Structures are given as C-alpha cells and as structure tokens.
Amino acid sequence: MTVAGTSGPGASGEQGLEPAALERAAATRMRRLHPLTPFLRSWRLVGGLSAVGLSLFREDLNRLVWVWHALHGDFEISLLARAAAITAGVAVVIVFGAWLSWRVTGFAIVDEPAGSGTLLFHRGILAKQRNQVRLVRVQSVDVNQPLVPRLLGLAAVRLDMAAGHDASVNLAYLPLAEASSLREEILRRGAGVTTGDEVPRVGGPAAVGGSDSSDGSGGSGRGDGSDGSGGGDGSGGRDGPGGPDERAAATSAREELIAQVSTEQVIKSNLLDGISGWVVLALWIVGLVVATILMGRAAFFAALSGIIPVTIAILAQLRRQVRSMMRDADFKLLRTPTGVRISSGMTSTVNRTIDFDRIQGVRLVEPFWWRRFGWARVKLDIAGGEDDFNKGASLIPVASRADAVALIVAVTGADLDSPRYVGVPRSARWVDPIGWRFQAVALVGGGALSRSGRWRRSTAYVPYARVQSVSARQGLVQRRLGLATVFLDLPKGSMRWRAEHRTVLDAAALVGELGVQARLHRLAARSAPGSSPGRPALGSGAGSAAV
Amino acid sequence: VHDLQPDPLFLEPGLDWHKVSPRLITERRIPVVVLALVAVAALVIGVVGQANGTVSSWPFVLAAGVLAVVALVLWLVLVPRMALSWRYAEREQDLVVRRGRIMRRLTVVPYGRMQVIQVRSNPVAHRLGIATVTLVTASADTDAHIPGLPVDVAQALRDRLAAKGEALTAGL
C-alpha cells in the first residue's frame, strides 16, 4: 500500500480543491504526530534491528555470558568494545530512522470553499504516501489506545471510510487530549458543522423530517428514520443533519449512554459460558486418573493420546474467551446521531463507531448456561469488517434477554421474538437429531430470521437489503427425506444466513420470496437512502442493560 | 440417461433451462487421466521392483488396481453425470444456476447485485472452444459460475448479463 504519490480515498471530490492548492494550504499548517510514534509503530523494526545486531555476535553468542564474568573482573576487552560499538551503531541507526520517519509524517486539516474540509496525511521516506480524505466521506472516527501507547498517554485516531478497511486512515499516535479534540473536530466538520467564519455546508436529503423526537431520549431533535443516509453498499457519503438548529447539536456531545456492562459481569458471564469446556476437561482428567489406577501405565498413555486433542480444543476455547473478555471489558454502548459507539477494552481501549447503515446482520446468542439466568449476547456483523478490529464485535456482551431483544429492535427494527417462526418437519431428525426441533425461520418486515441450537441457541437476523444472492443445497440424505437448505449470501464480513432442512416445497417458496424481498428492499434502499423501513428510534427504551 | 428429473426447487418447471456443452466432459476428464497415469506408474514400479527383487509387487499392483477402478468409474459414470448436471436460466430479474447430482446446488444471483462478470478458459477448455462465465457479487459465498459454455455463447451471455446489470442499476 505504499505506492508513490497515491492520493487517498475521496481525493477526487467534485468540489475539492486542486491538489497543488491543498498542498500549499497544508504546508502552512502541517501537524506532527508524537515523536515516539516511530518506535511504537515499528517495534518489529526495532526488534528486528536488535536481532541483526545480536546475530553479528553469533560466533560469540555463548561468550556473551562473559558479560557476567566481565562484571567480575574477568573480561575480554575487545569483545566488550565490539558489543558496545555495535549496540551504539544500531541505536544511532534506529533513532535516525525514527527521526527521519517522524519528520516526513504529518497531517493537516484544510478548508474547502464548498466542503467541510479535507484531511491530508503524509508519510513515507522512500515511498511517499499522501492521503487526502474528504471529511464528509468519513464514516466513523475512533480514538483507540493500545496497551503501550496507553501507558504513555498516547492514542490513535482512526478514520473509517465507506470503502472499507483498505481506505481507513490511522493517525497514530497523538497525546490523548489532542486525539480527542481532533476527533471532535473531524466529527464536527464531517457532520457539516464548520468552525468560525466559513460558509456552512448545505445538508443532504437526509435533513428533512427531523422533527420526530418521540423516542424520549432527551432533546434529540433528529428524525431517526433518516439516520445515516449512507445508503447501500459503497454509495458512501454520509450526509449530515441539515437544519441550522440541528447542526449545532450534531457534535459528539450528543452521545448518550444507553447501556453499560461492568468488567466483572463480562468476566463472570464468559466463565459461565465456558463452563462446559471446563467440565469436559475435569472429566477427562478424572477419567485419566481412574484408568491409570485401574489398568496401569499402558492405559495412561492410551488416554494421554486421547487427551491431547481435547486439551488443544480447550486451550483454543480459553484463548478465545480471554480475548473476548479483554475486548468487552468495561463495556459502554453510546448512542450517536447516526448509529452507536462502543467503547470497551481492558488493556487497550477500543472505540468503535458503527453507523446503522453499516450493520449487515445481528445475532442473538444464548449459551446453554446463560439461559438459566436469562442472559443473552448480541453480536454484530459490520460492513467492511473483515479485519480483527470489527470482526465479532458485540453490540452488548451480556444483558438480560429482554434488554438484548429490545436493543436489537432499536438498532435494526427487527423483532427476534416474532410469532412467525416456522419449524422444520419431523423427518429432519434423521439429519439433525439433536437440534431439529429448534430449527426455525421467520420472514419479518425488513429481513429474515433464522433460529437454531438445542443447547447454545442462536438467532440470526439479516436485512433483505444486504442480500447478495440466494442459494440452496441438498445432500443425498436430505434428498431421500425431501429436505433442502437455503442460504442467503451476504457481503464479506458477515456470517452466511441459513435455513436448514426445509421441505423442498418450503425451500422453493423461501428462495422465491427471499429473492423478491431482497430486490424490493434493495431498490427501496437505493431510491431513498437512509429511509430503510422499520427502524424505530434507538432511545432509552432499550434500557440500561444490566445483568 | 443424463436428463434431470423436474424438481420444484432445483429445476423449477416452466423456466427456460439451458444446458452446457458436452465438451465439458472432456475438460473434466483431464484430472482422471492423471489418476490413470499414477495407476500405470504404480503398476510399473511394482513389476520392475519384483523383477529386481527389491520390493514385493502386490501392494503396488493392488494400489494400481484400486486407482484404475476409481478412474474408470469417474471416467465412465461420475464425471459425465456431474458435467451434464449444469443448467442455467435467465429470468427477468436474476440468473439461476443449478448443478450437482449427489449434492445439488442452486444459486440465484440478482442482476442488480453483479459486480463483475468474468469469462475465462484454461488451456484445455480453450482448445475445446468452451469457457466459464463467473458472476461476482459483494459476497464471497456467492458461487455462481457456469462452465462448459461454447465461447460464443459465453460471450453473448456475458454481454446480456452486463446489459441487464446496467439497466437495473441505471436508475441510481
């Protein structure tokens, strides 16, 4: 991605300035990142150079122990001198390289006569990279703090563009206060609010109908039907609220906390979720011990060979759990004018701004042990979310089921407890003996619902407007039973929606109906961006979801 | 022999289902040739090894026999049946592709969702004068490709699809 002289996303804006003019304007106000940035961004480089330095000693590596001896007076002066010289040399190279890279890296926000401003981001020593980001095109601005920068009081400002991961710009690292104020400024400009004496930007079509504030969320003068007018995939632009009275309110100050989960709750619920794994592990160990006592050592080795795969599976689960715990710790869900913002993380704080229009699917997950307590988790599929950053994002890591369902209604307009679920015929028990009773699908206003899972119940919702194609599949056994499985193929970053083991006639009807609905909703989304049907206000109605 | 039974899901009656060229069988038989060659190689190694007294021949002969039977079944039965199971139909709003005998598959791609239409042929297909038309959407799960189309048919299909896709997105 380090192509010389590239111009970044949104560069060729119809109302943008000439590149040369931008450069001139930028040169006057170029701002630098924090001087420690090169070290933090390229710790691999630093590590690599150190390794190179060390490898020069490969011959003498065992003699490096002599440093110890040297401290006791038994030293070989030439070796120490070499070590010192090489260390110093590497340090100089690193510091010089870092300084050089810091010197050529900078960013600036440049005003445009007709637009809301452009962010320029320059970097690269050999391959120069120049990104121009028109702030109107910015989908979300997040302030993130990975562990080490967090300890140093630094933060990264990440701008997500409609075009997805490749197009995002990461301004790393800035002092936290500066990062926050930069985020504010970008949001303000992106939403069409300009500072000072500039001409205010004329709002887009989304500006109409902003009088609906029946959500009772406290003075939001903005119609939620017009939330995030970015429209279909890649159509991109985010039109800010347009009326003068609304514009003033469109800053991040309007974010409102709608749900919060404490770290303790996240950890507790995650442990409970994984309890089956722990029970299995304990049983294995007990079985191993018993078998050893009863049948001697041969049985021990036989059982050991069996326990290794189980242990690996358990460790994988543990790792996944720890990661999700770390990610969801200290979880806060905030409402923004066009979507939600999630702030969470134990060692590193991650902010995730998600416009409603980027939500491609929602899943309500109810692990077996959670259902005793009536808990549930809501997962999100986000457009352009192929990267780790967005993958498997939780809308809420744990909440009471009612709150979780209400939250999904608020975000997508879909009622997961729709009475329209239709199950599968009894013959499906031959292909799915455990779960067949719990397989069900329902077609609701804006999308399709699919429910499954005997123990771990999962309900997936997909808006019709996101459907790329409809597929069906029938294996040999299914054919004997007169069953087939229907799929909805979704954009990258989403789980495939599936309706397992429908009767062939049912499946045929489903394929036809899903195709028609997908087309109608796609057309509706295109002709009237942002006015996708059935999306009520996300207000305090969702309640503060607490376990 | 190779005709498909009507099926409400996988072969909806009343649609104008098109078949693919039987030349696809030849293309799909190439990997079977490789398998047959491996069988011959095993047989040769076994016989020569036995003559030298270095190896015993029966494992090789057995392997060669199994491979030969598999190759024969593939060549005569499975490959032709699978290759001729492809059907596609152009509907008003979408393209329908079905395939498979043992595992049947159906994909419905709306013209409005097509991002890229590719026409490709590998060297063997090129010699046979057939090509594969692939429809790409924003979803990685969309598996809509039609192999074994005569090149002129493939190009005509591509042009029709492109025109329909354009017509359907023109109202933007």
Side-chain angles (χ1 to χ4, degrees), chain A residues 3 14 178 204 505:
Chain A
V3 185
E14 60 285 349
E178 201 184 332
L505 282 178

Side-chain angles (χ1 to χ4, degrees), chain A residues 465 467 469-470 472 474 479 490, chain B residues 101 104 106 108 110 113 139 142:
Chain A
V467 173
S469 61
V470 185
Q474 185 183 49
R479 174 138 46 104
L490 300 162
Chain B
R101 293 264 185 173
R104 294 175 176 176
L106 177 90
V108 184
R113 283 298 193 201
S139 170
T142 300

Side-chain angles (χ1 to χ4, degrees), chain A residues 14 41 147 169 227-228 245 268 316 345 390 443 462 476 497 532 542:
Chain A
E14 60 285 349
R41 288 198 71 141
L147 179 57
V169 168
D227 270 337
D245 50 336
K268 257 196 316 204
N390 284 324
L443 303 187
V462 167
L476 209 55
W497 182 95
S532 44

Side-chain angles (χ1 to χ4, degrees), chain A residues 270-285 307 309-318 320-321 367-369 456:
Chain A
N270 264 297
L271 288 178
L272 192 61
D273 183 10
I275 208 161
S276 315
W278 300 118
V279 170
V280 169
L281 183 67
L283 286 179
W284 262 100
I285 292 172
I307 208 166
V310 176
T311 310
I312 291 173
I314 299 272
L315 286 179
Q317 186 203 353
L318 185 67
R320 210 175 50 234
Q321 271 200 0
F368 180 71
W369 295 105
R456 186 187 185 85

Side-chain angles (χ1 to χ4, degrees), chain B residues 83-147:
Chain B
L84 293 179
S85 73
W86 291 86
R87 297 282 188 285
Y88 66 96
E90 293 167 68
R91 296 199 297 196
E92 203 175 316
Q93 300 287 348
D94 43 36
L95 181 81
V96 190
V97 185
R98 71 85 70 209
R99 67 173 154 134
R101 293 264 185 173
I102 297 162
M103 173 72 87
R104 294 175 176 176
R105 291 169 199 272
L106 177 90
T107 307
V108 184
V109 186
Y111 298 129
R113 283 298 193 201
M114 295 184 308
Q115 292 190 332
V116 179
I117 308 160
Q118 295 170 332
V119 180
R120 283 186 297 195
S121 42
N122 59 36
V124 176
H126 189 70
R127 278 193 151 252
L128 294 165
I130 55 176
T132 301
V133 173
T134 307
L135 272 68
V136 181
T137 71
S139 170
D141 293 320
T142 300
D143 182 14
H145 63 284
I146 314 167

Side-chain angles (χ1 to χ4, degrees), chain B residues 9-53:
Chain B
L9 177 57
F10 291 98
L11 206 62
E12 191 183 328
L15 281 187
D16 186 16
W17 290 103
H18 297 279
K19 296 181 182 179
V20 302
S21 162
R23 277 173 278 173
L24 180 63
I25 301 174
T26 315
E27 187 195 333
R28 296 284 153 106
R29 271 175 176 162
I30 298 299
V32 184
V33 173
V34 176
L35 201 64
L37 288 178
V38 172
V40 171
L43 195 66
V44 168
I45 291 173
V47 170
V48 171
Q50 180 85 337
N52 288 348

Side-chain angles (χ1 to χ4, degrees), chain A residues 56 119 220 260 311 353 382 416 430 457-458 486:
Chain A
L56 294 177
L119 180 108
S220 87
Q260 189 167 11
T311 310
T353 310
I382 303 166
L416 264 61
W430 296 109
R457 205 154 297 166
S458 174
V486 177

